[in-house]
Amino acid sequence: MKIVVLIKQVPEPGSVQIDEVTGTVQRREADAVVNPIDLHALESALRLANVYNGMTYVFSMGPKSADFAVREALAMGIDSAFLLSDRAFAGSDTYATSTILAAAIRAIVPDFDVILCGERASDGDTGQVGPEVAAALGIPVVTWVSRINSWHNGTLELCHRLEGGQEEVSVTGPALLTVNKEVGVPRLPTLTGKRRARSADVPVLTRQSLNLSLEETGQKGSPTSIVKIFRPQWLRRGVMCHVTGGESLASAVNQLVDHLEEKELI
């Protein structure tokens, strides 16, 4: 069984800042962590590999500092990790990002059985990359997976969350799954794992090595863009009615009714 995991390095929760001029997330290496929900995807991959004698591969797209994220995955026990990093990738929206990730998977693990990723990233919070990678590869996708029951003859038995509960489904691989936190508690890296990760070779995949054109990556390959970033202003022009007794109560009610009529609410 060959298992691919897509992870992302994100700003530490609570420290996300947006550049209101460019509309991009301001990333500082000191505040970077592995996207929290992606850790659950890594845990799922390691459990599947243990049960079905699988090989695990991690891909992460980002600047050179994202090397930290892939080494964190190696420290947890992932077999191989690849960093997708190129100046041409800067400014990619979810569509261009998915194109790049799909190209990397085709190049490195074309015969994969399943792709796992977190259901969304904590910085963009779109939940689009997973399904878009599946679309680019032409494979089925199951979102919000809360439990992976089994894998047999290429078919995965799963449980995924719905708004009103959960549903048991089966999907024939290769397939992509986006997982939530219920799928399993991430393990901590071991000292041996950290030592291995520190000395491991992490290949860097670029636009040219993936045979992608400039029109497929970065801002040129992104059909969406952020037009404007602004902070909404709260305009609370209400009326406060103070009640201290019977007479003030009647006055307050009349004042409230007048205000609602003025706002054409009644």
Side-chain angles (χ1 to χ4, degrees), residues 46 70 79 91 111 130 144 154 180 196 199 216 237 245 260:
L46 293 168
V70 295
D79 296 308
D111 55 344
W144 279 88
N180 61 26
R196 169 178 169 266
S199 60
E216 294 176 284
R237 297 173 182 171
L260 293 175

Side-chain angles (χ1 to χ4, degrees), residues 103-148:
I105 295 169
R106 287 195 198 98
I108 305 299
V109 202
D111 55 344
F112 66 91
D113 294 291
V114 62
I115 301 172
L116 299 172
C117 56
E119 51 94 9
R120 65 183 63 195
S122 63
D123 54 357
D125 203 40
T126 65
Q128 295 174 350
V129 170
E132 286 180 350
V133 169
L137 294 171
I139 61 174
V141 56
V142 181
T143 58
W144 279 88
V145 172
S146 56
R147 188 173 68 249
I148 302 174

Side-chain angles (χ1 to χ4, degrees), residues 2-9 34 38-39 41-43 45-46 55-61 66-84 101 104-105 108-109 114-116 196 201-203 205:
K2 293 187 177 181
I3 309 155
V4 172
V5 190
L6 306 180
I7 67 173
K8 184 180 182 182
Q9 181 172 272
V34 178
D38 292 348
L39 296 173
L42 289 168
E43 177 63 28
L46 293 168
M55 289 291 296
T56 52
Y57 307 80
V58 155
F59 294 86
S60 182
M61 188 180 110
D67 178 79
F68 159 80
V70 295
R71 292 189 187 279
E72 184 79 2
L74 289 170
M76 289 177 65
I78 292 296
D79 296 308
S80 301
F82 301 85
L83 176 62
L84 285 58
L101 288 167
I105 295 169
I108 305 299
V109 202
V114 62
I115 301 172
L116 299 172
R196 169 178 169 266
D201 177 35
V202 176
L205 306 179

Side-chain angles (χ1 to χ4, degrees), residues 258-266:
D258 291 342
H259 179 69
L260 293 175
E261 287 178 342
E262 181 184 344
K263 297 295 183 181
E264 298 183 351
L265 297 174
I266 58 173

